[in-house]
Amino acid sequence: MRLFKENKILRFLGSVKLALTLFWLVIIACFIGALLREEWRGYVFDSGWFFALLAVFGLNILICVISRISFVAQKIGSNLVHLSILLILYGAMLSYFFSIRGVMEIAEGQSQDRIMVGCKIHKLGFKVYLENFSIDWYANSPDKYEIKTRVESSNSVFSYKLDKVQEQKVGKTGYSFAVKDYFPDFSLDENMKAYNKSGHPNNPAVLLQISLSSKAVEERWVFANHPGMGMARDENIQFRFNYQPQVKEYRSQVKVIDANNGPGKNAVIKVNSPLSYKGYSFYQVDYDHEDLKFTVLEAVNDPGVGFVFVGFLILNAGLIVIFYPKLKSASGRKK
Amino acid sequence: MNDILLKTAFILYLASGIFFCAPLFFRSNIWDEIARLLLKTGFILHSVMVGVRWYEAGRPPFASMYEALILFAWAVILVYLIFELAYRVRFLAIPVNILALIFLSVALPSDSTIKALVPALQSRWMSVHVITYFVGYGALSIAFVLSAIYLLSANQKRLDQLRLGTLDEITYRLIIFGFPFLTIGMTTGSIWANSAWGSYWNWDPKETCSLITWLVYAVYLHARLLKGWKHKRAAYLSLLGFLVTLFTFVGVNFILPGLHSYS
């Protein structure tokens, strides 16, 4: 401890003044990084000078903790917080330099035993077999109805994003329309009456109420998958319904086949519900939007994540230990 | 029903604000008592509204700007009620009332339709991440108003040193109350990001700005506790902290698109 008090360099490296300067430098660096476009952010967050800045910050905290370490009750919280920051920085360093992450695309009925890490192939040592990939869609109506309309007489085209029942004037053509109803799975019964067959967006259609000079002209069904199918009484105005179904959830039912480990492991991987196996975590990150039989998983082996999460726990505990007594001590005094 | 509950709560807050101003014209404590009763009744209805929307949506109601502003107003009043109970700082009621009315005035005319959640948002971490953040934001927004009052009063010499000292002290207590909530919000968000995207930190603009917010308040606490920064200098830091908070909450969504674009 005496060494830290007597040595000028160590005293400076562990000083509050340096800590405050480093705080501002990190704030400025982060602010610049946040303003940059995604492809340029690496110039800040992956740069040597940013690592150096964080390293000096870590050193400052380390010297500060060692030089002022004290086991009195009032200092426990502060020690915990500073040690947790060191643990988080250490974990982040491990994650950055030693984590392995790569994407794997698998079709139903096929397996994959490797991932692409940058330009290199990385073998996992086991296979991930995709038994089934499925998507659930929201059955409810879209947030906004994207309607395109063309008026033949004026040769004009308009695009709108509408809420339901919101009446929309079509330029200065005299026409107006509103979305009266929406069926995700339009069908006709034996009496040729329109009904909604299911909650799945198999045949999305909107019922439009069309008016001309404020007089109702007709009601027309417009189909997203069959643009020309709607029965039009007034052919001067044509509509197109662009429907983007909203995904509720997508999941991959997989089986891990490991030659060295018996019958393997069955699991369902979803967003927010990864599969962990032999140090790897498999995340559901995407799927093939054209061919819904392909899943896209990301395999991650991150040796730093545990340190970071333990650091988070200690950080929160430390802050409560520091501030709760300060809040409590003044309770009831102020008037 | 939701709409009626929220509008009634808004009217009660508004009426409470009017009664808070009554002592300027009439000398009686009764106005103050009525104002507080209206504020508390408004808060109960506001809480019921949040609960009903949660039930109707089948998910935590924090997924759109409309819902976020309602939660923000709710959190501000919640923090006030905790502080009133703990420190009897009744003078906070007026700035808190104004803040809640501002947030609700922006929320009420905006799109209130219940939005479906994208898969990444369907997580049990959502409730703890958002609620802790907003309780933190609530405390820091009141601290911001007090800092602004402090600086205006100090510059125009409208308040004596004792009252300025009280303002400074309560601002500090609000920040030490809000900072741990901000930390829980940030760290749970990071854990959630790891389970959704396989990475606990992506340097996404919203994440980066939330880190900047945290760092600014960390500077405030270090400067105050270790360098003795109080009064004006501390008030300026509190102002800066909340401006960054506001930018993180609203500005990033419009200016800097990223992984949090839906929020």
Side-chain angles (χ1 to χ4, degrees):
Chain A
M1 305 296 162
R2 255 180 71 186
L3 176 72
F4 290 101
K5 281 178 187 159
E6 286 169 5
N7 186 307
K8 270 188 179 178
I9 296 171
L10 286 177
R11 214 167 55 207
F12 168 73
L13 283 172
S15 66
V16 178
K17 208 172 183 178
L18 179 65
L20 289 172
T21 311
L22 291 168
F23 266 124
W24 287 118
L25 289 175
V26 175
I27 288 169
I28 293 165
C30 286
F31 187 67
I32 294 167
L35 292 179
L36 293 176
R37 290 159 64 124
E38 192 178 355
E39 58 269 31
W40 294 343
R41 275 178 218 147
Y43 290 116
V44 174
F45 302 123
D46 294 329
S47 67
W49 62 264
F50 190 67
F51 287 131
L53 187 60
L54 293 182
V56 179
F57 201 17
L59 189 67
N60 171 256
I61 296 170
L62 183 68
I63 295 174
C64 173
V65 170
I66 296 171
S67 63
R68 290 164 206 185
I69 199 144
S70 162
F71 297 101
V72 293
Q74 292 94 325
K75 291 280 178 190
I76 289 174
S78 165
N79 290 334
L80 283 176
V81 167
H82 288 103
L83 286 171
S84 75
I85 303 284
L86 287 176
L87 202 58
I88 292 166
L89 286 174
Y90 176 68
M93 187 192 72
L94 289 180
S95 296
Y96 189 84
F97 290 107
F98 302 109
S99 69
I100 299 164
R101 61 178 64 235
V103 167
M104 60 199 315
E105 290 181 27
I106 321 174
E108 271 183 0
Q110 292 185 357
S111 61
Q112 189 63 268
D113 65 348
R114 59 199 66 191
I115 51 172
M116 287 296 289
V117 181
C119 303
K120 288 182 182 168
I121 292 172
H122 178 83
K123 285 198 168 185
L124 298 171
F126 52 85
K127 282 182 182 175
V128 179
Y129 173 77
L130 179 66
E131 289 182 337
N132 177 262
F133 175 73
S134 56
I135 302 177
D136 287 345
W137 310 92
Y138 278 110
N140 56 356
S141 51
D143 278 349
K144 296 276 180 192
Y145 297 88
E146 275 191 60
I147 311 277
K148 267 192 178 178
T149 176
R150 180 184 172 82
V151 179
E152 298 290 345
S153 56
S154 61
N155 198 22
S156 45
V157 177
F158 304 89
S159 284
Y160 302 105
K161 282 189 175 180
L162 299 181
D163 292 322
K164 205 170 172 183
V165 201
Q166 175 191 343
E167 186 155 14
Q168 178 64 53
K169 284 187 177 171
V170 183
K172 289 177 181 171
T173 60
Y175 283 105
S176 62
F177 70 95
V179 176
K180 206 176 164 194
D181 211 345
Y182 162 76
F183 286 179
D185 192 2
F186 179 95
S187 196
L188 293 171
D189 64 12
E190 59 268 24
N191 300 320
M192 299 302 280
K193 201 179 164 200
Y195 77 104
N196 191 28
K197 203 171 167 184
S198 75
H200 295 277
N202 298 324
N203 187 19
V206 279
L207 180 63
L208 300 182
Q209 170 77 58
I210 305 162
S211 305
L212 180 60
S213 307
S214 303
K215 271 189 178 175
V217 178
E218 64 173 297
E219 284 183 355
R220 188 187 303 176
W221 282 102
V222 180
F223 302 90
N225 300 342
H226 312 284
M229 212 171 90
M231 300 276 279
R233 201 176 296 161
D234 182 352
E235 292 196 343
N236 187 36
I237 184 163
Q238 302 294 331
F239 292 93
R240 217 183 158 117
F241 171 35
N242 291 332
Y243 176 71
Q244 297 290 330
Q246 196 180 347
V247 174
K248 186 179 182 186
E249 186 181 87
Y250 47 106
R251 65 185 86 78
S252 304
Q253 195 175 333
V254 299
K255 184 173 188 173
V256 179
I257 303 165
D258 190 346
N260 306 320
N261 200 12
K265 183 179 179 180
N266 289 302
V268 175
I269 306 174
K270 294 187 278 187
V271 180
N272 281 312
S273 178
L275 156 72
S276 295
Y277 189 79
K278 282 197 170 174
Y280 287 90
S281 294
F282 294 88
Y283 297 89
Q284 181 71 64
V285 287
D286 208 351
Y287 57 92
D288 188 328
H289 292 248
E290 301 297 320
D291 184 349
L292 301 182
K293 300 287 175 197
F294 273 86
T295 188
V296 182
L297 303 176
E298 185 169 38
V300 181
N301 179 309
D302 186 346
V305 68
F307 291 99
V308 172
F309 288 178
V310 171
F312 285 168
L313 193 69
I314 300 173
L315 173 66
N316 285 302
L319 286 175
I320 292 165
V321 171
I322 297 174
F323 294 126
Y324 181 67
K326 286 188 198 296
L327 282 166
K328 209 180 163 196
S329 66
S331 179
R333 275 191 213 159
K334 301 283 165 205
K335 294 219 172 164
Chain B
M1 179 178 174
N2 244 306
D3 200 38
I4 296 167
L5 280 169
L6 189 66
K7 281 178 181 161
T8 315
F10 179 81
I11 291 165
L12 288 170
Y13 291 149
L14 192 66
S16 157
I18 293 166
F19 277 100
F20 273 125
C21 294
L24 295 173
F25 309 101
F26 313 102
R27 283 195 175 184
S28 171
N29 283 341
I30 189 82
W31 307 116
D32 194 58
E33 292 305 324
I34 293 171
R36 277 169 218 290
L37 186 69
L38 289 170
L39 186 71
K40 284 171 188 171
T41 315
F43 180 71
I44 292 167
L45 290 183
H46 195 159
S47 309
V48 172
M49 181 265 161
V50 173
V52 169
R53 193 170 171 95
W54 193 320
Y55 175 76
E56 280 180 355
R59 56 157 176 83
F62 325 131
S64 63
M65 193 47 84
Y66 169 80
E67 291 173 342
L69 285 166
I70 287 170
L71 188 69
F72 206 154
W74 179 85
V76 166
I77 302 208
L78 174 76
V79 172
Y80 161 71
L81 293 174
I82 293 170
F83 266 64
E84 194 198 282
L85 201 69
Y87 304 117
R88 299 188 185 95
V89 279
R90 303 183 76 165
F91 70 91
L92 283 185
I94 297 170
V96 160
N97 199 289
I98 293 168
L99 273 176
L101 284 172
I102 291 171
F103 293 140
L104 291 183
S105 309
V106 182
L108 275 167
S110 40
D111 181 12
S112 65
T113 46
I114 293 174
K115 304 261 191 283
L117 288 186
V118 297
L121 288 183
Q122 295 165 34
S123 165
R124 69 191 82 142
W125 287 107
M126 185 182 187
S127 308
V128 61
H129 169 66
V130 179
I131 291 175
T132 49
Y133 247 128
F134 276 88
V135 173
Y137 281 179
L140 300 174
S141 58
I142 306 173
F144 162 77
V145 175
L146 293 192
S147 299
I149 295 172
Y150 179 95
L151 289 170
L152 286 171
S153 310
N155 289 339
Q156 294 176 10
K157 295 182 179 161
R158 284 193 175 170
L159 291 176
D160 56 46
Q161 284 305 314
L162 187 68
R163 285 184 179 172
L164 284 175
T166 306
L167 274 180
D168 182 54
E169 183 65 20
I170 295 297
T171 304
Y172 165 63
R173 292 197 184 279
L174 282 160
I175 290 174
I176 62 172
F177 177 84
F179 188 70
F181 281 101
L182 215 59
T183 314
I184 299 170
M186 188 170 67
T187 51
T188 51
S190 180
I191 296 168
W192 178 13
N194 191 64
S195 80
W197 302 315
S199 173
Y200 56 84
W201 199 263
N202 295 289
W203 295 112
D204 164 71
K206 193 104 172 173
E207 289 174 357
T208 310
C209 287
S210 69
L211 177 65
I212 295 171
T213 309
W214 190 86
L215 289 169
V216 171
Y217 284 108
V219 169
Y220 174 97
L221 293 169
H222 280 83
R224 181 156 189 134
L225 294 170
L226 301 171
K227 287 280 174 191
W229 280 33
K230 285 187 176 181
H231 307 292
K232 273 193 182 180
R233 285 198 290 186
Y236 279 120
L237 266 181
S238 163
L239 287 189
L240 176 69
F242 189 69
L243 291 178
V244 180
T245 306
L246 214 56
F247 181 72
T248 307
F249 174 52
V250 188
V252 173
N253 297 9
F254 299 105
I255 302 168
L256 307 167
L259 290 167
H260 287 77
S261 306
Y262 44 74
S263 57

